[in-house]
Amino acid sequence: MRDVCHNERIEAMLKTAADDSERVVKVLVCDDEKHIVRLIQVNLERLGYEVATAFDGREALVKLKEYKPDLVLLDVMMPYVDGYEVLRSIRKNPETENLPVILLTVRAQDEDVFEGYKQGADMYLTKPFDPADIQRIFGH
């Protein structure tokens, strides 16, 4: 796993969740690899998060409007609409512009990481990853 960088949006959302044990944090997991989505979903649900899933970029855009997540885990390379386009859509919309987004991808070259942050990602997590990474990021 490439080193991940926590940022203020993610830390603020996680702190709010930790401070309010009654509040359930909603996470949208978007990846075209169903086994990756399931692995993340199971680990997040074990930690007490509510999880919705999407398997391509178009579905991710629909779920963003319907589900109104507190955080998005987003693959870069997906069918129909790629993760960068979904991320740009999130950042352009006043309702979601401050939504924390973690990019999840096999693209681990420096230029890929730079592009992810340039597009507005809050964190960049590379595949393959260890499920312990999810615990480290989301555990509270």
Side-chain angles (χ1 to χ4, degrees):
M1 180 194 86
R2 187 175 187 91
D3 189 46
V4 285
C5 168
H6 271 91
N7 101 350
E8 293 173 11
R9 275 192 279 243
I10 293 171
E11 288 186 8
M13 187 277 305
L14 293 173
K15 182 173 179 351
T16 300
D19 290 347
D20 184 358
S21 60
E22 302 280 320
R23 183 174 181 272
V24 176
V25 175
K26 300 189 315 186
V27 179
L28 176 60
V29 179
C30 313
D31 197 309
D32 58 325
E33 297 181 69
K34 292 183 192 283
H35 67 281
I36 297 286
V37 171
R38 185 69 181 137
L39 176 68
I40 294 169
Q41 181 179 18
V42 166
N43 279 279
L44 288 176
E45 287 174 349
R46 278 180 163 160
L47 293 169
Y49 293 89
E50 181 181 304
V51 180
T53 60
F55 300 102
D56 63 61
R58 281 192 296 208
E59 186 181 9
L61 291 169
V62 170
K63 292 275 179 96
L64 276 163
K65 290 177 185 172
E66 293 174 353
Y67 186 63
K68 302 198 183 311
D70 298 301
L71 184 137
V72 177
L73 267 159
L74 181 63
D75 186 18
V76 171
M77 297 185 297
M78 293 188 294
Y80 310 117
V81 178
D82 73 21
Y84 290 141
E85 186 59 36
V86 174
L87 180 54
R88 283 191 292 275
S89 178
I90 289 169
R91 294 295 177 240
K92 284 182 194 174
N93 182 340
E95 292 180 22
T96 58
E97 67 186 356
N98 292 313
L99 182 65
V101 177
I102 299 173
L103 286 182
L104 178 67
T105 182
V106 296
R107 300 176 74 173
Q109 299 299 317
D110 288 342
E111 59 268 12
D112 297 317
V113 176
F114 177 74
E115 183 63 24
Y117 286 123
K118 186 173 123 183
Q119 296 295 329
D122 296 297
M123 187 182 291
Y124 201 95
L125 182 62
T126 57
K127 299 177 198 174
F129 64 93
D130 186 315
D133 297 332
I134 300 298
Q135 172 69 38
R136 185 173 55 80
I137 294 166
F138 290 93
H140 46 271

